[in-house]
């Protein structure tokens, strides 16, 4: 699955003044003014590189500050709200279905492929992941190279009972035919399931 990558969002060698929060660098939107006020409020030196300051500041910039709201002025209007962090800002824009081309570009740029904690990258429901065949989970089986998977499938009849064999024979025959074809055309090292390698 794809999610926001916090590691891409802060340039710690820069100061806030020079665009350390990359999501808002070069813009004059409300979050820029809020960050400036937040910096003053919690003791971030606006003109000093973040790498030379308390590392906790980077976490605050990424994930927000919940101790007290930030008061700032934007377009000559006073505003007060909690700073929720640039990761939450981007997730909010994404989840709200933003139509802004700039926001969509930012979401794509600051995102990366991450492994799902529920399925561990297998893209399978937990109850399916719990099933094992000859001691291997379905996800582990699908990660085998074509040649090994073909040998595994061909050895199944020897390990299944009569009922399992009856239920699985049609599926097994279909899978075996496809694997033989893939093996024959030279894709022996191809893996069927590569979801967790992204």
């Amino acid at each position: 699955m794809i999610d926001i990558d916090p590691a891409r969002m802060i340039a710690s060698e820069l100061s806030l003044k020079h665009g350390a929060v990359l999501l808002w660098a070069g813009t004059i939107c409300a979050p820029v003014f809020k960050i400036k006020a937040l910096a003053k409020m919690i003791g971030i030196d606006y003109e000093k590189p973040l790498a030379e300051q308390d590392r906790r500041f980077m976490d605050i910039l990424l994930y927000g500050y919940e101790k007290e709201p930030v008061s700032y002025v934007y377009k000559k209007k006073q505003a007060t709200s909690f700073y929720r962090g640039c990761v939450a800002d981007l997730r909010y824009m994404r989840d709200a279905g933003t139509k802004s081309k700039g926001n969509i570009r930012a979401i794509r740029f600051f995102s990366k492929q991450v492994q799902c904690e529920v399925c561990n990258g297998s893209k399978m429901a937990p109850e399916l992941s719990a099933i094992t065949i000859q001691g291997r989970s379905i996800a582990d089986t699908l990660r085998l190279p074509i040649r090994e998977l073909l040998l595994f499938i061909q050895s199944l009849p020897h390990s299944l009972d009569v009922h399992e064999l009856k239920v699985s024979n049609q599926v097994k025959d279909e899978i075996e035919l496809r694997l033989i074809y893939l093996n024959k055309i030279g894709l022996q090292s191809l893996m069927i399931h590569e979801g967790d390698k992204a």
Side-chain angles (χ1 to χ4, degrees):
M1 76 181 201
I2 293 172
D3 199 8
I4 307 305
D5 182 7
R8 291 178 146 200
M9 301 189 84
I10 301 282
S12 60
E13 70 277 9
L14 299 178
S15 66
L16 289 174
K17 181 179 181 178
H18 291 103
V21 179
L22 298 175
L23 176 60
W24 307 120
T27 68
I28 51 167
C29 56
V32 172
F33 293 89
K34 187 189 279 192
I35 287 170
K36 189 170 186 176
L38 172 72
K40 188 175 182 181
M41 189 171 93
I42 64 173
I44 303 176
D45 187 329
Y46 198 71
E47 298 188 11
K48 188 176 178 182
L50 290 176
E52 297 173 18
Q53 302 188 63
D54 190 325
R55 185 157 181 82
R56 287 176 298 176
F57 292 153
M58 283 191 273
D59 286 339
I60 289 169
L61 293 168
L62 287 169
Y63 302 109
Y65 187 73
E66 298 177 356
K67 290 182 180 176
E68 58 181 300
V70 182
S71 293
Y72 61 100
V73 177
Y74 178 62
K75 291 187 176 178
K76 298 181 181 178
K77 291 182 182 175
Q78 182 75 34
T80 302
S81 63
F82 283 94
Y83 174 72
R84 62 185 175 189
C86 54
V87 172
D89 281 341
L90 210 51
R91 282 185 180 144
Y92 175 80
M93 289 188 280
R94 179 197 64 195
D95 297 345
T98 180
K99 302 291 185 219
S100 159
K101 288 182 181 178
N103 289 348
I104 291 168
R105 272 195 306 272
I107 291 164
R108 284 186 185 143
F109 182 79
F110 292 110
S111 294
K112 72 170 182 177
Q113 191 80 24
V114 295
Q115 186 166 292
C116 171
E117 292 178 13
V118 175
C119 71
N120 290 320
S122 71
K123 299 181 182 175
M124 294 182 186
E127 50 279 10
L128 192 57
S129 297
I131 297 170
T132 59
I133 307 165
Q134 291 184 349
R136 280 193 172 124
S137 72
I138 292 174
D140 289 340
T141 305
L142 292 176
R143 287 190 193 102
L144 293 172
I146 295 292
R147 186 176 286 162
E148 286 180 48
L149 185 55
L150 178 56
L151 291 171
F152 178 78
I153 294 291
Q154 289 171 335
S155 74
L156 278 179
H158 308 296
S159 62
L160 301 176
D161 64 33
V162 176
H163 174 70
E164 290 171 328
L165 198 56
K166 188 177 179 183
V167 171
S168 67
N169 256 347
Q170 192 175 347
V171 176
K172 185 192 85 63
D173 291 346
E174 182 67 26
I175 291 170
E176 190 174 343
L177 280 173
R178 291 174 190 224
L179 291 173
I180 288 169
Y181 173 73
L182 291 172
N183 192 52
K184 191 175 182 180
I185 63 170
L187 298 175
Q188 299 93 337
S189 62
L190 177 73
M191 292 183 196
I192 298 294
H193 187 277
E194 299 191 77
D196 60 337
K197 300 188 94 186

